[in-house]
Amino acid sequence: MNIEWGNLPFGYFKTDYNIRCFYKNGQWGELEVSSSEYIPMHMAATALHYGQEAFEGMKAFKGKDGRIRLFRWDENWKRLNKSAEGIMMPEVPKDIFEKAVKEVIRLNEKFVPPYGTGASLYLRPLLIGTGAQVGVKPASEYCLIIFVTPVGPYFKAGFKPVKVQLVRDFDRAAPLGTGSIKVGGNYAASLRASERAHAEGYSTVLFLDAKEKKYIDEAGPANFFGIKDNTYITPESVSILPSITNMSLKVIAEDLGLKVECRRVPVEELNTFEEAGACGTAAVISPIGEIFDRSNNTSFVISKDGNPGPISTKMYERLLAIQYGDYEDKHGWVDFI
C-alpha cells in the first residue's frame, strides 16, 4: 500500500472493510463485516423514493504516541438518532453503534493516516430505509452501514481565509422542515447554490433563514460563527444542523476566555465581525476572509490582511491538538481504539 498521506484530497478512497447491521421484524440483528462497496437494494426501497436516509461524519486520528483517537462518537450517535426520529426510522442502540464504529476502525487500521501528515480517517455512518414501499410511508426494514476513508483537508487551501457567497435566491431548509437533522435532502437542496458559487469563484455559500431572509442560517455544509468584542457568536435557528465541531468550539472559546452567544445574527452584523468562519467535521474551521452578497453586489471584508484571525487560529489549533493527543483532553471527548 503506497498512499501519499500528505496529498490526500477530501474524497473517497477505497478501504478494506465496512460494517453493516440490518433491522428486520422490529429488531436489530448482529453486526456483519463486508468487503463490498455496494448495497443490494430493492428498487422500491424508501431510501430511493421517499428520502428515508440519514448519515453522520466523524473522524479518528493517530497521535504522536501511535494510538488511535476517536472524537466524540457519542454525539454522532445522538445526532443520528435525532435524524432517524425526524424521518421515522428506528433508532440505533448505543452499544451497536459504538461497537460498529470501533470495529470498522480496527479492521481498517492501516488506513489511519500517520501523525503529522495533516490527514485523518473519516467515518461515514449511513442509515437507510431498505424495505419496499410504493405508498408514502416508512419502511419496515433498514440498514446501518459504516465505511471509512482516509482524507486530507476539506478545502484545498487548508487553514486560510476563503471567499463565501451569500445567497438569497435559494433556501437550504424551511424552519419547520429537516434543516436541523442530517439527512441527504438538505444537501441536495444546497447543491444548485453551492455549484453556482464554486463556478463563480467562491468556496462555499452562506444561506439566510428561509422565512424572513434577514438572519444568517447555515454556511453550506457547515455552521457559521463570528467573533467580536472577545465573544464567540453563532446563529440560533431551528433550521441549522447542530454541529459537533461548533459544540466543541463553544467550549474551547470559553476555555480561552471568550464569552459565547448563540442567537439570531442579522445580515447587517456581518460587517462588524473581527473574525468569522465556517466549522464542521470535514473542514474543522475554515476562516472566512470575505462574504459577497450576490443579490446586491456588495462585500463584507472580514480578513483585512488575508490571514486567519488570532482567535480562530487558537481555537483551530486547540481542537486539533485535543484530537491528535497533543493537548490534555480535560472534557473527555476522546476515546482510544
Side-chain angles (χ1 to χ4, degrees), residues 74-188:
D74 55 328
E75 294 297 336
N76 291 96
W77 166 72
K78 292 175 188 174
R79 194 169 65 179
L80 180 66
N81 279 342
K82 185 180 176 219
S83 298
E85 179 186 20
I87 55 173
M88 299 196 71
M89 297 193 293
E91 291 190 0
V92 179
K94 188 175 185 179
D95 60 330
I96 288 178
F97 187 83
E98 179 180 10
K99 186 177 178 183
V101 163
K102 294 181 176 179
E103 185 63 18
V104 79
I105 296 172
R106 292 187 193 101
L107 289 169
N108 295 287
E109 184 173 350
K110 68 182 181 182
F111 294 100
V112 182
Y115 176 83
T117 60
S120 56
L121 187 73
Y122 184 79
L123 289 82
R124 173 55 62 85
L126 174 68
L127 180 60
I128 57 174
T130 53
Q133 292 287 0
V134 175
V136 182
K137 58 182 179 179
S140 58
E141 297 183 0
Y142 296 85
C143 173
L144 170 71
I145 182 166
I146 305 178
F147 66 86
V148 302
T149 179
V151 296
Y154 187 78
F155 291 113
K156 293 178 182 178
F159 189 66
K160 294 180 181 178
V162 298
K163 293 172 66 178
V164 172
Q165 188 177 87
L166 187 149
V167 298
R168 300 172 189 266
D169 55 341
F170 288 103
D171 292 323
R172 171 186 159 271
L176 300 180
T178 59
S180 64
I181 59 178
K182 199 170 177 68
V183 295
N186 297 333
Y187 296 83

Side-chain angles (χ1 to χ4, degrees), residues 164-222:
V164 172
Q165 188 177 87
L166 187 149
V167 298
R168 300 172 189 266
D169 55 341
F170 288 103
D171 292 323
R172 171 186 159 271
L176 300 180
T178 59
S180 64
I181 59 178
K182 199 170 177 68
V183 295
N186 297 333
Y187 296 83
S190 74
L191 285 175
R192 287 181 66 196
S194 297
E195 288 304 299
R196 184 182 66 184
H198 294 160
E200 295 177 357
Y202 297 89
S203 293
T204 189
V205 292
L206 188 58
F207 290 101
L208 299 182
D209 73 287
K211 185 177 182 180
E212 297 182 84
K213 299 289 189 183
K214 291 181 180 180
Y215 302 97
I216 301 304
D217 214 65
E218 193 79 289

Side-chain angles (χ1 to χ4, degrees), residues 266-274 291 299-302 304:
V267 176
E268 296 75 24
E269 192 172 359
L270 289 174
N271 218 23
T272 69
F273 288 124
E274 299 156 16
I291 301 171
S299 289
F300 303 93
V301 178
I302 310 290
K304 305 298 189 286

Side-chain angles (χ1 to χ4, degrees), residues 18-34 38-41 90 93 96 127-131 140-145:
N18 57 78
I19 295 282
R20 306 177 184 206
C21 190
F22 295 91
Y23 179 91
K24 296 179 181 179
N25 301 317
Q27 60 184 11
W28 287 98
E30 298 295 319
L31 296 185
E32 300 177 17
V33 177
S34 175
Y38 297 92
I39 306 171
M41 193 183 303
I96 288 178
L127 180 60
I128 57 174
T130 53
S140 58
E141 297 183 0
Y142 296 85
C143 173
L144 170 71
I145 182 166

Side-chain angles (χ1 to χ4, degrees), residues 59 61 69 71 115 118 120 159 249 252 283-285 314-327:
K59 286 181 177 177
F61 309 82
R69 291 164 170 82
F71 187 71
Y115 176 83
S120 56
F159 189 66
L249 289 175
I252 289 172
V284 186
I285 290 179
K314 285 180 184 176
M315 292 193 303
Y316 175 78
E317 291 175 346
R318 175 68 61 85
L319 181 55
L320 282 183
I322 293 170
Q323 291 174 331
Y324 282 101
D326 295 330
Y327 189 86

Side-chain angles (χ1 to χ4, degrees), residues 175 180 209 215-218 234-241 262-264:
S180 64
D209 73 287
Y215 302 97
I216 301 304
D217 214 65
E218 193 79 289
T234 191
E236 182 177 48
S237 166
V238 294
S239 54
I240 288 178
L241 180 74
C262 185
R263 58 171 172 79
R264 300 179 90 179

